[in-house]
Amino acid sequence: MPQQPPRPSEKRKPDVNAGHIAGVFGLRGELKLDASRIGDDAVCAGLAATLRFADGTTRDVTIEAVRRQKDRPLIRIAGIADANAAELLVGAQLEIAPADAPLGAGEYFDADLVGCRLVDEAGIGRGAVVDVLHYPNQDLLVIGAARAMLPLVAAFIAGVDVARKEIRVTVPPGLLDPDNAEEA
């Protein structure tokens, strides 16, 4: 009798973005994963995960195998054996439990950053983080109702204190407040 893949735990809360299913690779159901920085390190065979679809529905899955093709992870999900079944998963976000996501120095979960107050070098509040966007070159903090975007890079981020929900920033005039932008 073939061994059953491990079942995802009912107790875990899969809320860390590990990447986006970008497409199907080949005929055997492998999937191209546009991995987040966390997902690139964390996604491995045997990992319990959740797929979150654009309509809000979810599906618990187990990663059966991972390999790399041209610097991109290819994943095989237990129970997905062909390209037709895999095609139904394209576009989903792959989420994993925080405990399965190793963080390096200076790395944070999105949930830790959302709600943090931005404080500039003069101690003035510059808004609060409402979202974090992930792009290949850098992540962006989305600030306030106007949804101003601040690159999450050392040039602008002087420090992050998750416990105090505070991010110290150094920003040029106009980056977060267009009314103060310098004119060329």
Side-chain angles (χ1 to χ4, degrees), residues 9-45:
S9 166
E10 297 297 322
K11 294 181 182 178
R12 70 183 176 83
K13 296 181 179 172
D15 61 354
V16 176
N17 177 5
H20 177 262
I21 305 298
V24 176
F25 184 84
L27 301 174
R28 296 188 179 147
E30 283 184 299
L31 294 158
K32 299 174 189 176
L33 179 65
D34 284 342
S36 67
R37 286 182 181 87
I38 289 173
D40 205 29
D41 294 333
V43 174
C44 61

Side-chain angles (χ1 to χ4, degrees), residues 172-183:
L175 186 63
L176 296 177
D177 182 6
D179 293 336
N180 291 331
E182 296 175 5
E183 294 195 25

Side-chain angles (χ1 to χ4, degrees), residues 2 9 13 78 89 95 98 106 108 118 124 127 135 141 154 173-174:
S9 166
K13 296 181 179 172
L89 307 179
E95 298 178 348
Y108 307 93
L118 271 64
I124 298 169
Y135 292 98
L141 298 176

Side-chain angles (χ1 to χ4, degrees), residues 19-132:
H20 177 262
I21 305 298
V24 176
F25 184 84
L27 301 174
R28 296 188 179 147
E30 283 184 299
L31 294 158
K32 299 174 189 176
L33 179 65
D34 284 342
S36 67
R37 286 182 181 87
I38 289 173
D40 205 29
D41 294 333
V43 174
C44 61
L47 180 69
T50 296
L51 293 174
R52 181 170 306 279
F53 298 92
D55 66 1
T57 60
T58 61
R59 176 178 174 180
D60 288 341
V61 298
T62 300
I63 306 299
E64 191 171 70
V66 179
R67 68 184 182 99
R68 294 193 84 79
Q69 168 71 20
K70 294 186 178 180
D71 235 9
R72 168 188 268 170
L74 297 178
I75 62 172
R76 179 181 303 282
I77 293 177
I80 303 298
D82 62 43
N84 291 332
E87 185 65 38
L88 299 174
L89 307 179
V90 172
Q93 179 173 302
L94 182 71
E95 298 178 348
I96 61 176
D100 292 329
L103 291 179
E107 293 182 325
Y108 307 93
F109 293 123
D110 293 359
D112 292 336
L113 297 174
V114 171
C116 283
R117 297 176 304 117
L118 271 64
V119 179
D120 68 15
E121 58 275 0
I124 298 169
R126 303 300 301 261
V129 178
V130 297
D131 198 2
V132 181

